[in-house]
């Protein structure tokens, strides 16, 4: 178990750092660079961002709904579920030695409006920062949601947030390798 305040400060700090990276290093790049395929046959920068936006499209409404429907009083400690820890560790860029294929519904298109994708990512990140502020007032250990790629598995809100941040870190590093 971990202090909720420390957990939220860590998650918010990581998200702010990711947002500043996108604003500072990617936002004003020429569109041909943003859409240029990786030399390793991987995704372009815009495709990496589009992939992350697809996760935001799935998780942001669920997080918002969970926070607004939950009447349980705050709990000051953060618990992670077994499956949540599994998914977080699996996607964590520091532990990642294995590549994973993206689920079909999270595959980016080959041709994208790169500036639109980056603008959406910035807006989505800012919306998540606002939602994180609400985590402190709720018992996020009790709020459950389905995993986007395996809907019959449920994780709590803490797991979803930690997964999203780790997943973004992984794909932002992938995007930066294209520079």
């Amino acid at each position: 178990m971990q202090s909720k305040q420390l957990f939220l400060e860590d998650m918010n700090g990581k998200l702010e750092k990711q947002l500043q990276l996108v604003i500072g290093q990617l936002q004003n790049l020429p569109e041909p660079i943003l859409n240029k395929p990786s030399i390793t046959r991987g995704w372009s920068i815009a495709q990496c961002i589009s992939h992350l936006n697809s996760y935001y499209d799935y998780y942001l409404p669920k997080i918002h709904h969970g926070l607004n429907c939950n009447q349980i009083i705050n709990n000051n400690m953060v618990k992670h579920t077994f499956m949540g820890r599994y998914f977080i560790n699996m996607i964590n860029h520091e532990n990642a030695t294995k590549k994973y294929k993206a689920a079909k519904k999270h595959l980016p298109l080959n041709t994208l409006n790169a500036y639109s994708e980056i603008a959406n990512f910035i807006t989505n990140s800012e919306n998540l920062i606002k939602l994180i502020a609400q985590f402190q007032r709720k018992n996020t250990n009790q709020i459950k949601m389905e995993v986007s790629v395996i809907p019959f598995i449920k994780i709590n809100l803490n797991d979803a947030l930690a997964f999203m941040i780790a997943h973004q870190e992984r794909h932002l590093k992938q995007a930066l390798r294209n520079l």
Side-chain angles (χ1 to χ4, degrees):
M1 289 219 293
Q2 178 183 15
S3 155
K4 183 185 272 188
Q5 182 176 347
L6 291 177
F7 171 74
L8 294 177
E9 286 173 6
D10 181 44
M11 294 295 102
N12 199 57
K14 288 178 180 178
L15 182 56
E16 288 277 0
K17 186 177 174 184
Q18 292 169 356
L19 180 56
Q20 291 310 311
L21 181 145
V22 170
I23 292 170
Q25 293 187 38
L26 303 179
Q27 182 179 29
N28 294 317
L29 288 173
E31 198 159 16
I33 291 175
L34 294 170
N35 280 313
K36 181 181 174 189
S38 169
I39 60 172
T40 63
R41 296 188 193 171
W43 292 337
S44 68
I45 294 169
Q47 287 174 310
C48 290
I49 300 298
S50 177
H51 174 72
L52 295 175
N53 283 333
S54 75
Y55 276 84
Y56 270 129
D57 291 345
Y58 178 83
Y59 282 107
L60 279 180
K62 292 193 176 302
I63 292 170
H64 184 267
H65 177 77
L67 289 169
N68 286 332
C69 290
N70 183 276
Q71 300 299 319
I72 298 172
I73 304 300
N74 177 36
N75 183 343
N76 292 324
M77 300 303 286
V78 168
K79 293 180 186 175
H80 292 285
T81 63
F82 171 79
M83 289 307 295
R85 278 192 308 273
Y86 173 79
F87 285 114
I88 294 162
N89 289 331
M90 179 182 82
I91 204 70
N92 188 328
H93 73 96
E94 293 170 357
N95 305 337
T97 56
K98 183 177 178 184
K99 287 186 174 187
Y100 297 99
K101 287 192 177 244
K104 190 174 184 177
K105 67 181 176 180
H106 293 295
L107 285 173
L109 300 173
N110 289 328
T111 305
L112 295 163
N113 179 330
Y115 293 132
S116 176
E117 291 297 335
I118 288 178
N120 287 340
F121 179 85
I122 292 168
T123 300
N124 286 332
S125 297
E126 290 169 344
N127 287 336
L128 183 56
I129 289 168
K130 290 175 189 171
L131 288 173
I132 290 173
Q134 296 179 38
F135 274 55
Q136 193 64 46
R137 297 186 305 269
K138 302 289 183 162
N139 185 344
T140 50
N141 299 325
Q142 298 295 321
I143 303 170
K144 305 287 186 202
M145 65 178 50
E146 294 111 4
V147 173
S148 74
V149 295
I150 310 170
F152 61 85
I153 293 178
K154 292 191 179 210
I155 57 176
N156 67 30
L157 223 52
N158 306 314
D159 297 333
L161 178 61
F163 172 81
M164 286 181 70
I165 301 298
H167 182 246
Q168 287 186 180
E169 188 71 25
R170 180 182 180 116
H171 287 291
L172 289 173
K173 287 193 179 299
Q174 177 186 5
L176 288 176
R177 288 193 299 267
N178 290 335
L179 293 178

